[in-house]
Amino acid sequence: MAERSFVQEVEKLRLGAGEEFSGEGILAITKALLQCGVGYVGGYQGAPISHLMDVLADAQDILGELGVHFEASASEATATAMLAASVHYPIRGAATFKSTVGTNVASDALANLASGGVTGGALIIVGEDYGEGSSIMQERSHAFAMKSQVWLLDPRPNLPSIVKAVEDGFELSEASNTPVMLQVRIRCCHVHGSFTAKDNKRPAMTVADALEKPRRDTGRIVLPPASFIHEKEKIAKRWPAAVDFIRSRRINEFFGPDLAKVGIVCQGGMYNSVMRALERIGLADIYGETEVPIYVLNAVYPLIDDEFLGFCEGKDAVLVVEEGQPNYIEQAFGNMLHKAGRDTRVVGKEYLPVAGEYTGQVMLDGLTAFLREAAPHMLPVQIRAPNKQDDSNEISDLAAIVPGRPPGFCTGCPERPIFAATKLVEQELGQHHIASDIGCHLFSIMPPFELGATTMGYGLGPASASAFNSPDAKRRSISFVGDGGFWHNGLTSSIGNAVFNKNDGVIVIVDNFYSAATGGQDILSSRASNKTKSTKHPITEAVKGMGVKWVRHLERTYDVGKMRDTLREALTTEESGPKVIVASSECMLNRQRREKPLVANAIKGGERVVKPKFGVDEDICTGDHACMRLSGCPSLSVKSLDDPLRDDPVAHIDQTCVGCGNCGEVADAAVLCPSFYRADVVHNPGKWDQLLEKMRRKFIGFMQRRRESRRLTFADA
């Protein structure tokens, strides 16, 4: 169950020629694929591109009507390898995934695809996840385009430009027999706007048609001596064809006056930020009119020499707005000017940060600094000189004032009790080397758990602990991997590797029924029925099939005591070989998305519904807060009492509680205190419920009066 449904929005994909299409960038990309006659699409989810996979999944009826094949691929490598259908056949294919983790995984398939080249258009839509808000290591797709010699488009973030980039990408691929990467940042994926639609096209040749008339050309297969010929072909034939196409189709754009002493060159994805900065400076308006010439690179690889040199004509300095490091574009342009013997100065990282996301403020500061030095006459008088403010008026650094907010598990997350159990085991057996993995479970490295030493890649948690398989070791390593990572890469790279090398470590597979961290997409082991995919394949069976002998399955992770005991057994057993624990409980976010509407409708319809509510008895709670140190649940907070004799705040469970019971389980397993209680809230109670409630109230009232009477008796004595 994906976190967002596009069932209603995908109906817009049926719009025909001349109709106005309005919506999100992700949806526009899908519409553009259909308008271009795409024959097949594959991909793997990951921000900021996850929703594209969700859109395609929800649009399967429309895709089927057009004869378009769609697959949710097992990995980014699978998605890229799928583009092999365009090598011999004139079928347009597309793959989509998150960068740069996706391009890292896909690089082998990408290199082979680029070597042999393609006949049909092959488009790789890469969700560029770069910047301060990213969830991954900081790298750029640009290096992969250069390495494998595939062309890289980076469109301006508006719907008409995005749609045009998809069309240009397919045509560029076919014109140069080369795969094309389309880079879309988060601003591009989620920008809203409109464009004039075209009719959807049924592919001229479908994959079913291709199977009826198979083709082969040994010259396209990556095997010596053909592989060397491919390399020569890239430079002698494909590159010139790409340059001619980009130039003749005017893929790159020019804005502003023809003559000026300075200019700005920017990646297409940076255009909106550049224009906003110029508007704030006073050199552009909201309609896109600018007083500073701008050369927009909608195609950032390959670069077009004569376009750039023509732009530099008569200019003293040009600022290159290139997000990330190394500054490939700036270096290339500097080399062009040097070879041409030009005096124009190319600058970039002198005024803009060497690394990091170019936010609005970063862009404003960088462009202002560049213009102050290179063209101060263009600036309004009030900002020609740097502001010299009194120290007393300086804005304080928020990072030094606002407390840090580390990422953590959601309320009711079934992964939290797994790590609470791990802390309890370490308290008993001592600290262990713990290898982490990509996914929600990586939050365990943060407080309150602070577990985990490394993370090497999706599904590679157990593999990253393989070096600790020493015959002399007296202690076993622990590694974690999620169900998404397990099916993506972990089954062979981690589990198979551990079996083959007789690794003696403990592997915990966190099974929350979905690829939860990327938005709740179904995977092989999902428990839900999926009309287009095969699910309900147990992880335990796959693990045993790889040769693991010691396997334990916990169906309910919230049982902290059982989780602790199973971990202890795995760490102390005399049995050799990998010890695998599959810890299963459904992702609470997905569960709530499914159950909340059902419960609300049931209550509205007058049905009897019982909902658990957890709380803390303020009279019993001692206020030591040990429960929080082993839970960290956002709904578990503190509350100050009115009692003047009790200064310390007590534990408190707020209204965001989803009733998972983890706090009470932790308190019980850690032998903390009996202050946690559970109460069942009954909606639409029946006569029996009402009778029980009256009896309970009478009994509780009697006990309270009795206690108060005894207290007064002792007080008088």
Side-chain angles (χ1 to χ4, degrees):
M1 180 182 180
E3 67 181 21
R4 178 177 171 187
S5 172
F6 289 88
V7 172
Q8 293 182 343
E9 288 97 325
V10 296
E11 288 303 314
K12 296 180 181 179
L13 300 176
R14 298 184 186 276
L15 293 176
E19 296 183 272
E20 184 180 58
F21 183 103
S22 61
E24 199 172 1
I26 289 290
L27 209 61
I29 293 173
T30 314
K31 174 60 174 168
L33 291 173
L34 300 182
Q35 293 179 172
C36 290
V38 70
Y40 63 97
V41 186
Y44 193 85
Q45 59 273 358
I49 211 73
S50 291
H51 287 339
L52 181 53
M53 296 296 297
D54 298 335
V55 168
L56 290 165
D58 287 337
Q60 296 228 41
D61 290 343
I62 300 174
L63 299 181
E65 292 168 9
L66 294 168
V68 179
H69 176 63
F70 165 67
E71 281 197 6
S73 307
S75 71
E76 297 84 357
T78 307
T80 307
M82 190 179 178
L83 293 174
S86 295
V87 171
H88 298 302
Y89 304 95
I91 309 174
R92 289 183 167 181
T96 176
F97 44 76
K98 170 195 182 105
S99 179
T100 60
V101 286
T103 39
N104 285 333
V105 173
S107 59
D108 192 13
L110 180 63
N112 281 277
L113 181 71
S115 182
V118 294
T119 301
L123 187 66
I124 302 167
I125 304 164
V126 177
E128 189 79 346
D129 191 11
Y130 179 83
E132 190 174 345
S134 171
S135 61
I136 58 170
M137 79 295 286
Q138 294 296 279
E139 294 181 347
R140 296 168 59 196
S141 304
H142 203 113
F144 291 90
M146 296 172 66
K147 174 189 76 69
S148 296
Q149 291 291 284
V150 301
W151 318 134
L152 180 60
L153 302 183
D154 186 359
R156 289 192 291 133
N158 63 71
L159 265 58
S161 295
I162 295 168
V163 171
K164 183 178 182 297
V166 173
E167 296 170 348
D168 290 338
F170 279 123
E171 294 182 24
L172 172 59
S173 176
E174 291 163 348
S176 61
N177 302 115
T178 304
V180 172
M181 293 175 68
L182 175 63
Q183 175 180 299
V184 284
R185 295 173 176 81
I186 188 168
R187 294 184 182 91
C188 197
C189 289
H190 301 305
V191 68
H192 282 254
S194 62
F195 66 95
T196 302
K198 298 177 182 178
D199 289 333
N200 294 332
K201 291 182 182 178
R202 189 176 181 85
M205 174 183 280
T206 66
V207 288
D209 295 334
L211 283 171
E212 295 300 318
K213 297 179 180 179
R215 302 178 184 180
R216 65 187 301 271
D217 176 3
T218 53
R220 295 298 98 204
I221 301 174
V222 185
L223 183 72
S227 52
F228 177 68
I229 297 173
H230 295 165
E231 187 67 11
K232 294 181 66 177
E233 183 182 290
K234 287 179 182 179
I235 305 303
K237 179 183 175 183
R238 300 186 207 170
W239 185 297
V243 170
D244 288 344
F245 182 91
I246 294 168
R247 184 194 294 116
S248 63
R249 291 296 185 92
R250 299 183 179 180
I251 304 298
N252 299 323
E253 300 172 284
F254 297 89
F255 297 93
D258 294 331
L259 299 176
K261 289 296 183 182
V262 295
I264 297 173
V265 180
C266 70
Q267 298 164 291
M270 296 285 98
Y271 172 79
N272 288 4
S273 299
V274 169
M275 289 301 297
R276 175 59 177 150
L278 289 175
E279 181 195 343
R280 293 174 69 184
I281 293 171
L283 297 176
D285 62 26
I286 60 174
Y287 304 104
E289 296 295 327
T290 171
E291 297 178 30
V292 181
I294 303 176
Y295 176 33
V296 180
L297 300 173
N298 293 311
V300 294
Y301 188 78
L303 298 171
I304 314 303
D305 296 46
D306 53 358
E307 277 189 359
F308 174 70
L309 293 175
F311 178 74
C312 291
E313 196 72 44
K315 293 181 176 60
D316 296 331
V318 170
L319 175 70
V320 177
V321 179
E322 177 183 7
E323 192 175 56
Q325 179 74 3
N327 53 345
Y328 301 118
I329 299 173
E330 184 182 340
Q331 291 179 36
F333 282 156
N335 186 52
M336 290 179 195
L337 289 170
H338 175 72
K339 285 188 174 182
R342 299 287 187 86
D343 295 330
T344 304
R345 188 165 64 101
V346 173
V347 294
K349 301 301 182 183
E350 296 91 335
Y351 300 99
L352 291 161
V354 173
E357 185 177 4
Y358 285 179
T359 61
Q361 190 61 46
V362 165
M363 197 75 78
L364 176 63
D365 294 343
L367 266 61
T368 301
F370 166 69
L371 292 170
R372 277 189 184 132
E373 182 175 320
H377 62 282
M378 297 184 71
L379 294 172
V381 175
Q382 64 270 25
I383 59 174
R384 285 182 185 174
N387 292 328
K388 295 182 179 180
Q389 297 180 336
D390 189 285
D391 291 343
S392 61
N393 295 326
E394 286 187 1
I395 299 174
S396 301
D397 181 7
L398 288 178
I401 301 173
V402 180
R405 187 185 179 189
F409 298 104
C410 302
T411 302
C413 177
E415 300 186 11
R416 183 179 284 108
I418 297 173
F419 299 105
T422 306
K423 291 290 285 187
L424 291 173
V425 169
E426 284 204 319
Q427 188 177 35
E428 178 184 342
L429 302 180
Q431 289 189 330
H432 292 69
H433 175 82
I434 297 178
S436 303
D437 207 317
I438 304 298
C440 298
H441 39 279
L442 187 56
F443 295 148
S444 63
I445 68 171
M446 307 302 292
F449 303 111
E450 298 182 293
L451 295 168
T454 55
T455 174
M456 289 291 107
Y458 202 30
L460 297 177
S464 66
S466 58
F468 298 93
N469 185 32
S470 170
D472 301 324
K474 296 185 176 70
R475 194 183 294 271
R476 289 172 175 143
S477 67
I478 304 173
S479 56
F480 290 93
V481 61
D483 48 356
F486 171 81
W487 292 116
H488 178 278
N489 193 27
L491 180 59
T492 54
S493 298
S494 285
I495 305 300
N497 181 74
V499 172
F500 183 69
N501 289 290
K502 298 183 178 180
N503 196 302
D504 198 41
V506 176
I507 300 171
V508 181
I509 301 175
V510 182
D511 171 28
N512 49 30
F513 302 7
Y514 309 93
S515 184
T518 58
Q521 293 82 9
D522 280 334
I523 51 179
L524 277 161
S525 52
S526 293
R527 310 291 179 90
S529 297
N530 189 314
K531 64 179 182 180
T532 63
K533 301 290 181 288
S534 178
T535 55
K536 303 180 183 179
H537 299 282
I539 292 175
T540 50
E541 296 302 313
V543 167
K544 292 174 183 176
M546 292 298 288
V548 179
K549 304 300 182 185
W550 196 100
V551 181
R552 300 289 184 272
H553 183 207
L554 280 73
E555 188 60 38
R556 182 175 175 273
T557 62
Y558 296 103
D559 190 338
V560 178
K562 188 173 182 180
M563 187 74 219
R564 174 201 58 201
D565 295 343
T566 306
L567 270 169
R568 183 197 299 116
E569 180 189 357
L571 290 167
T572 57
T573 181
E574 295 295 324
E575 192 168 338
S576 61
K579 267 68 67 176
V580 174
I581 301 171
V582 181
S584 301
S585 274
E586 184 179 10
C587 167
M588 184 56 74
L589 280 182
N590 268 29
R591 181 178 173 183
Q592 291 297 313
R593 290 189 192 106
R594 187 184 70 256
E595 291 185 353
K596 275 188 174 181
L598 298 176
V599 171
N601 289 334
I603 293 174
K604 187 177 180 180
E607 295 182 35
R608 180 181 182 273
V609 175
V610 180
K611 296 175 66 176
K613 175 69 176 177
F614 288 83
V616 175
D617 190 323
E618 298 172 0
D619 292 333
I620 298 176
C621 178
T622 62
D624 67 349
H625 307 147
C627 52
M628 299 177 196
R629 290 191 288 273
L630 274 173
S631 172
C633 180
S635 68
L636 186 58
S637 57
V638 293
K639 177 183 178 181
S640 296
L641 300 177
D642 295 330
D643 189 345
L645 299 178
R646 298 189 64 180
D647 296 331
D648 294 334
V650 297
H652 173 68
I653 300 175
D654 65 25
Q655 73 282 358
T656 63
C657 173
V658 295
C660 71
N662 178 57
C663 50
E665 294 275 1
V666 166
D668 180 64
V671 197
L672 297 174
C673 68
S675 61
F676 287 90
Y677 67 83
R678 167 178 168 162
D680 289 337
V681 180
V682 182
H683 296 266
N684 301 319
K687 292 182 179 179
W688 177 246
D689 294 313
Q690 295 174 11
L691 177 61
L692 283 177
E693 175 64 11
K694 288 181 181 179
M695 293 176 62
R696 290 189 185 109
R697 286 185 179 276
K698 287 183 179 180
F699 182 74
I700 292 172
F702 168 74
M703 296 299 292
Q704 288 176 334
R705 289 190 298 273
R706 182 184 176 190
R707 186 180 67 171
E708 183 65 16
S709 176
R710 294 182 65 184
R711 187 183 69 81
L712 293 174
T713 300
F714 283 115
D716 292 340

